[in-house]
Each structure stands twice: as C-alpha cells, then as structure tokens.
Amino acid sequence: MAGDASLRLKRLLLGTRGGRLALMAPRALMAMRAARVAPRLGQVLAWSVRSREIANFTYETTRESQLVLAAVVAEIANRPPSEIVGYINELAADRELAEHVADVARAPESRWSVDPGFKPGRRLAFYLLARALKPRRVVEAGVDKGLGALLVSRALTLNRAEGHAGDYLGIELDPSKPIPLYERWPDRVGQIIRGSSTDILRKQAAPIDLFIHDTVPEAGHMTEQLATVRLLMAPVGVIASTWTTPELINHALQHGLKLLTHQEETMDHWFPGDRVAFIYGHGGAASDSDKCVTSLDTHV
Ligand SMILES: C[S@@+](CC[C@H](N)C(=O)[O-])C[C@H]1O[C@@H](n2cnc3c(N)ncnc32)[C@H](O)[C@@H]1O
C-alpha cells in the first residue's frame, strides 16, 4: 500500500508540470550538497582572511591526486611508479625548502604577498619531471615569485649529487617583479632572464629537455610559444603546461605528439586545481600504434 502511494507520488512528480515545480527546491539542495557549496564557501571565507595571494595560488593536493600524477609521470619518463612516489615523499620531507618559504614570507619585502606554507600545487609535476627525466636543460616560461624555479633548482641539485648535470633558465616578462623564492635560495641553479618568453626562446639553441609553460593561457601566445619551442625540444624532451587548452591539444594532434593530462584535486582550498598537460614524443614514435596522440585522462 505504502509502496503504491510512493509510486503514484513519483509518477506525479516526474509526470506533471506541478511535480516539476515541486522538485526544484529539493533538486537545488541535492546539487548544492553534491557540489559541496557550503564547505567551499567556508574555504573561500577562511582563505580570503588568511591568504596574501591574489593570483598564481599555492595549494596542497590530495594524496590520491599525487599518486595519479606519479603514474602519469612514470609513463612519460618510462620509470617505475615507485621511483616517482619516492620523489613525492622526498619533497614532502624537505624541511629546508619549507623553512625557506616560511623565511621569505616573513621578510619585510614579501610579508604581504607570499603565503608562509610550503604548498607546491601543480609545481609538484615540474619537480617530479625534473627528478625523473634528469634533464640537462630546463626552461620555465613564467616565473612569478619563483616557487617552480625553486623546486626545479632543488631537483637539479639532487640530480647533480647523483651524477646527472642539469641547468635551468627561467623567463619572466615583468622587468621588475621580485622573484624572492628563487633569488633568495642559496643553492639556486641557473638564471632568470626578463622579457617575452617567445622572443627569448627564439634566441635559444636546441635542445631543451624539459619546457615548463606557466605564462598565460591566451590562445595566440600559446600557439606562438608552442610553435617556437617545438623546434628546440630534445627528442625525449617533455613540455609541461599548466593549461590544457584547445591550442595545446591541436598542437599535439597536428604534430603527431603524445599528450597526457592530469586534473589536480586540491585539499582544503576553494581552488579546483589545474588540468596540467604533458606533451612528449618529439623524436617520433617507435611503432605505428604509438604514432597517434595518446590522450589518457587521469581524473581522480
Ligand atoms: C602563473 S605565473 C608563473 C608561476 C610560476 N611558474 C610558479 O611556479 O609559481 C605567470 C607568470 O608569467 C609571466 N608572464 C606572462 N606572460 C609572459 C610572457 N609572455 N613571457 C614571460 N613571462 C610571462 C607573468 O608576469 C607571471 O609572473
């Protein structure tokens, strides 16, 4: 009997205009719960008060997100996943880097712009690639406060201690922006040049083993930058981009390159995370089946 009544009610709700109207409020509540609107709002409010950032956010990612990233990097670098997980743990245990970020955040010139927590976010991908690929030459376009530059420096220093030499070039458009996280790191590797990344890349000689695209996702800039850097990439070189845009996807498709992406899952932060893209296979593929673009999406 009760079952019949509930069935009739369900038919009424899903079969009439009145039912559709009556379902609007419960539907909105269900969606708000699933989309975690209330917790997100709490995170927005807490962050607005606590953070000093207005762009290029720092945030932590979940362990699951990091492990999926490790699997993607292992595939690209052709290394065992356990090795990449070792690099994740190595960075998480790096007290010197964490203390350096806290020191910079305390310094008078950056105390109102740099958050004190050591939260690599998407730069974890840059660190893992720098450790796994043992690149001889890393170029990062878009440096900002230098968190990526700091992590790449650390990776290259550790690589050197293991017998793999590598150098770093950062390119930053803003002629006067302070880059304290990199500039104040005593063991920094390489240098930073100020100017437009495409202009400076045109003057570079090949090969680049790891190129980090972290400038802006504007379509014209991405197309020009990718076209410029393609001619410089080592056959085993990897491009890591903060953004998986249509221009980046077209670039990989047009040139028969491999493409993998990783959607970050952030922790205790309103920021949804970046969809980081990796382009590789610049030396061509070994077999016909490898020649197509591999777009293996790795959502967590
Ligand atoms: C997203 S931030 C870089 C973040 C940095 N990689 C990190 O690890 O935190 C973007 C930076 O790119 C710089 N930028 C924008 N357009 C550029 C261009 N065409 N060439 C070089 N740098 C550029 C901006 O001034 C800004 O500092």
Side-chain angles (χ1 to χ4, degrees), residues 56-58 122-123 126 140-149 171-174 177 195-198 212 214-216 221 225 242-243:
N56 188 29
F57 308 115
T58 57
R122 69 178 177 282
R123 299 136 196 111
F126 311 157
E140 180 185 32
V143 180
D144 196 36
K145 295 168 201 152
L147 185 53
I171 308 173
E172 171 53 52
L173 184 64
D174 190 324
K177 180 178 275 192
S196 153
S197 54
T198 38
I212 299 168
D214 205 2
T215 48
V216 286
H221 167 71
Q225 183 160 267
T242 298
W243 300 279

Side-chain angles (χ1 to χ4, degrees), residues 83-214:
E83 179 184 316
I84 314 299
V85 173
Y87 298 142
I88 293 177
N89 297 339
E90 163 190 279
L91 186 64
D94 197 325
R95 300 320 310 155
E96 255 186 279
L97 280 189
E99 279 162 26
H100 172 68
V101 173
D103 283 349
V104 169
R106 269 193 298 269
E109 60 276 17
S110 39
R111 68 192 301 183
W112 306 118
S113 58
V114 175
D115 277 0
F118 180 50
K119 299 175 179 175
R122 69 178 177 282
R123 299 136 196 111
L124 174 64
F126 311 157
Y127 180 83
L128 296 182
L129 284 169
R131 285 294 275 138
L133 295 170
K134 313 289 180 213
R136 272 163 300 184
R137 191 147 164 254
V138 183
V139 177
E140 180 185 32
V143 180
D144 196 36
K145 295 168 201 152
L147 185 53
L150 172 70
L151 294 193
V152 171
S153 270
R154 183 57 137 187
L156 294 179
T157 301
L158 293 170
N159 288 351
R160 276 182 190 178
E162 294 165 2
H164 304 278
D167 208 352
Y168 166 82
L169 170 67
I171 308 173
E172 171 53 52
L173 184 64
D174 190 324
S176 56
K177 180 178 275 192
I179 307 181
L181 291 170
Y182 172 79
E183 285 165 348
R184 295 191 47 187
W185 178 241
D187 296 332
R188 66 187 168 278
V189 175
Q191 58 165 331
I192 287 171
I193 301 181
R194 308 279 180 154
S196 153
S197 54
T198 38
D199 289 352
I200 290 166
L201 281 167
R202 275 194 205 99
K203 296 176 198 149
Q204 298 301 309
I208 296 172
D209 302 295
L210 174 58
F211 177 72
I212 299 168
H213 163 231
D214 205 2

Side-chain angles (χ1 to χ4, degrees), residues 244-279:
T244 308
T245 66
E247 295 71 36
L248 180 135
I249 297 165
N250 284 343
H251 176 84
L253 284 169
Q254 271 174 11
H255 297 289
L257 299 168
K258 295 186 176 187
L259 170 64
L260 292 179
T261 66
H262 170 67
Q263 174 64 56
E264 292 179 307
E265 185 180 68
T266 61
M267 196 163 69
D268 301 329
H269 203 296
W270 59 267
F271 184 61
D274 286 308
R275 185 184 175 97
V276 185
F278 308 99
I279 293 181

Side-chain angles (χ1 to χ4, degrees), residues 269-293:
H269 203 296
W270 59 267
F271 184 61
D274 286 308
R275 185 184 175 97
V276 185
F278 308 99
I279 293 181
Y280 61 114
H282 293 89
S287 70
D288 278 354
S289 62
D290 281 346
K291 278 182 185 154
C292 60
V293 168

